[in-house]
């Protein structure tokens, strides 16, 4: 795994869009996904396995969620993976982590919390084509057949109709990236997707740290955060856009008009 500490806005742009040229297409089409975090020391544990609180309760949590959430989604959800996406989206502890195809959305989540403005932040950059090399054969075959690089709930359900089925596909750890259904405008505007590992206790940071290719950690120093934040605001990458509705509007206004700590 590579780690790089950037020192300027321009250097940050170069690092975020590195390796984005796709020779076959003749276009800049990156095969990376991004996760921005406000503190460089924050790990990639999931809400399910953080401090071991819910690891043994994964099936209980999802079963109860599906029972009591019936009738809530506007669209019927047939796949357990779509149900997991809905649960993750609304704060239930799951084995999923939030990612985005957009490096600027990742920068938003790195800079949104002004209480952590004095801490260095980090953007994880992961090439899903590299992580796909470690997928079990049935998942690789499915991606090749569909001409896809990441999964949908419908695709996953063909090979792994349940969470237990996914865990049985391989003994070695692997990670896949999964695009949720467009549950609401937040999912769409955040260009969102989720990571999923085979095992409720699996830690993605431990997995990624052993990769020699396709993984970068970009450290954004605290003294660069305010410039990044101001330029994202100018580019309209704000809570008002990423969280449509009055809640997002209020989050944006509260942050935007807060004085910068001295």
């Amino acid at each position: 795994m590579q780690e790089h500490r950037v020192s300027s806005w321009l250097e940050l742009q170069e690092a975020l869009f590195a390796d984005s040229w796709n020779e076959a297409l003749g276009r800049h089409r990156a095969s990376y996904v991004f996760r921005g975090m406000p503190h460089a020391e924050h790990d990639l544990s999931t809400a399910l396995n953080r401090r071991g609180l819910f690891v043994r309760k994964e099936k209980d949590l999802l079963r109860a969620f599906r029972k009591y959430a019936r009738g809530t989604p506007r669209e019927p959800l047939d796949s357990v993976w779509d149900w997991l996406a809905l649960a993750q989206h609304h704060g239930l502890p799951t084995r999923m982590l939030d990612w985005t195809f957009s490096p600027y959305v990742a920068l938003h989540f790195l800079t949104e919390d002004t209480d952590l403005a004095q801490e260095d932040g980090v953007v994880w950059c992961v090439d899903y084509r590299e992580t796909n090399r470690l997928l079990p054969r049935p998942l690789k075959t499915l991606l090749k057949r569909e001409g896809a690089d990441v999964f949908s709930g419908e695709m996953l359900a063909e090979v792994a109709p349940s969470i237990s089925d996914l865990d049985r596909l391989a003994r070695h750890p692997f990670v896949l990236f999964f695009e949720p259904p467009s549950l609401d405008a937040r999912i769409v505007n955040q260009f969102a997707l989720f990571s999923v590992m085979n095992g409720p206790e699996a830690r993605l940071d431990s997995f990624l740290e052993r990769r020699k290719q396709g993984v970068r950690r970009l450290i954004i120093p605290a003294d660069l955060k305010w410039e990044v934040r101001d330029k994202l605001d100018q580019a309209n990458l704000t809570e008002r856009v990423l969280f449509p509705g009055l809640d997002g509007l209020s989050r944006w206004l509260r942050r935007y008009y807060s004085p910068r700590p001295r």
Side-chain angles (χ1 to χ4, degrees), residues 17 28 60 84 96 109 112 118 133 156 167 181 211 245:
F17 291 96
H28 286 277
D60 298 330
L84 265 176
M96 293 182 169
F109 288 106
E112 180 188 19
Q118 305 309 313
R133 297 179 190 276
L156 275 179
D167 294 345
R211 308 278 74 79

Side-chain angles (χ1 to χ4, degrees), residues 45 65 75 130 158 183 185-186 188 190 198 223 232 258:
S45 57
F65 183 85
E75 301 292 335
E130 289 296 328
E158 288 189 39
L183 300 168
R186 283 169 51 189
V188 176
Q190 293 174 21
N198 56 322
D223 58 8
L232 291 177
S258 295

Side-chain angles (χ1 to χ4, degrees), residues 33 35 44 46 88 94-100 126 174-179 193-197 204 208:
V33 293
R35 179 175 170 86
L44 294 180
T46 67
Q88 169 75 9
T94 78
R95 67 171 67 184
M96 293 182 169
L97 277 177
D98 298 301
W99 294 77
T100 175
V126 177
F174 64 85
V175 62
L176 61 85
F177 289 95
F178 158 59
E179 282 191 277
L193 73 166
F194 300 125
S195 62
V196 183
M197 292 196 71
L204 184 55
L208 295 177

Side-chain angles (χ1 to χ4, degrees), residues 15 23 34-35 43 50 116-117 121 143:
E23 187 67 36
F34 305 88
R35 179 175 170 86
D43 59 37
R50 194 168 298 131
L116 293 175
L143 286 178

Side-chain angles (χ1 to χ4, degrees), residues 54-64 163-164 167:
F54 297 106
V55 168
R56 297 182 180 179
K57 299 296 183 181
E58 181 179 35
K59 294 179 181 178
D60 298 330
L61 285 166
L62 183 59
R63 182 173 60 250
I163 299 174
S164 298
D167 294 345

Side-chain angles (χ1 to χ4, degrees), residues 98-170:
D98 298 301
W99 294 77
T100 175
F101 289 108
S102 167
Y104 287 160
V105 171
L107 289 179
H108 168 81
F109 288 106
L110 184 148
T111 58
E112 180 188 19
D113 188 346
T114 55
D115 289 339
L116 293 175
Q118 305 309 313
E119 304 291 343
D120 293 350
V122 61
V123 176
W124 286 84
C125 314
V126 177
D127 186 341
Y128 49 74
R129 291 185 180 174
E130 289 296 328
T131 56
N132 284 351
R133 297 179 190 276
L134 296 175
L135 292 175
R137 185 177 298 276
L139 292 174
K140 285 183 179 179
T141 300
L142 179 60
L143 286 178
K144 184 176 181 180
R145 189 194 77 197
E146 295 291 331
D149 293 309
V150 298
F151 294 88
S152 67
E154 182 181 11
M155 289 169 62
L156 275 179
E158 288 189 39
V159 173
S162 72
I163 299 174
S164 298
D165 292 327
L166 182 78
D167 294 345
R168 286 192 289 265
L169 286 177

